[in-house]
Amino acid sequence: MNKDRLREFAVRVTQANQSQLIVILYDILEADLECATDAINAKDYKIYEKELRHASRVINQLMGALDYRYPLSYDLLSLYSYLNKKLVCAQMSRSNQDFPEILDLINDLRVGFLEVSKQDNSGPMMQNTQQIYAGLTYGKGTLNESSLNPSDINRGFKA
């Protein structure tokens, strides 16, 4: 995954509440699979395996975020285990033939959690983060994004 994409995810994480973080994890998983597909098409197996290992870690994060007070969590755990097994098989066979199925499942789950996140009115999980004011300016052949934070000196976690 390139640095711009990582930066985009980092900004989203700082502004997200709990249910939005799950949606972001699905987006990261999808980005990992896209990068893995690009890598295998370029026959760069080192990057391919790196992206799949990262995707497995994301699935492990999703497993860790499950709340077992709800019976649905056990179904999601089974599904995440299945996805993880598919990723391990893809890594061993150096094939992306199962990626469409994995992406379909991820997309279905993402849509469900996106709807949940729209109803979640809780605040961001991270406090004292950089306030993002999105702004775009157009130039000749360029599109510039800028952010403004008047109190930038106190950003990050308070210990």
Side-chain angles (χ1 to χ4, degrees):
M1 195 177 315
N2 65 30
K3 289 184 178 184
D4 288 337
R5 198 84 193 261
L6 288 173
R7 193 174 306 126
E8 172 197 341
F9 285 126
V11 168
R12 288 178 59 194
V13 165
T14 62
Q15 308 297 313
N17 62 25
Q18 193 169 9
S19 56
Q20 291 169 337
L21 285 175
I22 301 298
V23 174
I24 293 170
L25 285 173
Y26 287 126
D27 291 342
I28 292 171
L29 192 53
E30 185 178 338
D32 285 341
L33 292 179
E34 289 172 2
C35 291
T37 299
D38 292 343
I40 200 164
N41 289 339
K43 301 200 183 301
D44 188 346
Y45 297 112
K46 186 176 178 182
I47 297 295
Y48 176 75
E49 291 175 4
K50 177 184 166 196
E51 295 296 336
L52 290 186
R53 281 193 306 270
H54 189 263
S56 288
R57 286 196 306 266
V58 170
I59 289 176
N60 288 336
Q61 287 291 320
L62 288 167
M63 288 177 175
L66 292 173
D67 186 349
Y68 293 102
R69 290 179 295 171
Y70 303 103
L72 178 63
S73 295
Y74 294 98
D75 295 334
L76 287 172
L77 179 64
S78 296
L79 191 55
Y80 293 151
S81 295
Y82 175 75
L83 291 174
N84 228 351
K85 180 181 172 185
K86 287 287 188 183
L87 290 177
V88 170
C89 289
Q91 190 173 357
M92 298 302 287
S93 65
R94 291 187 170 177
S95 167
N96 62 350
Q97 71 180 18
D98 290 333
F99 284 8
E101 177 189 1
I102 295 171
L103 287 170
D104 284 345
L105 289 170
I106 291 168
N107 192 38
D108 290 344
L109 293 168
R110 185 191 181 282
V111 167
F113 276 96
L114 184 62
E115 290 302 317
V116 169
S117 73
K118 289 177 182 174
Q119 299 170 8
D120 186 355
N121 296 325
S122 62
M125 295 291 292
M126 296 178 69
Q127 303 296 319
N128 200 25
T129 58
Q130 181 181 17
Q131 185 67 37
I132 304 295
Y133 296 101
L136 295 173
T137 57
Y138 298 94
K140 189 173 185 177
T142 61
L143 179 64
N144 301 316
E145 179 181 354
S146 61
S147 65
L148 178 63
N149 183 9
S151 59
D152 202 20
I153 58 173
N154 291 325
R155 64 182 278 233
F157 285 110
K158 285 185 178 177

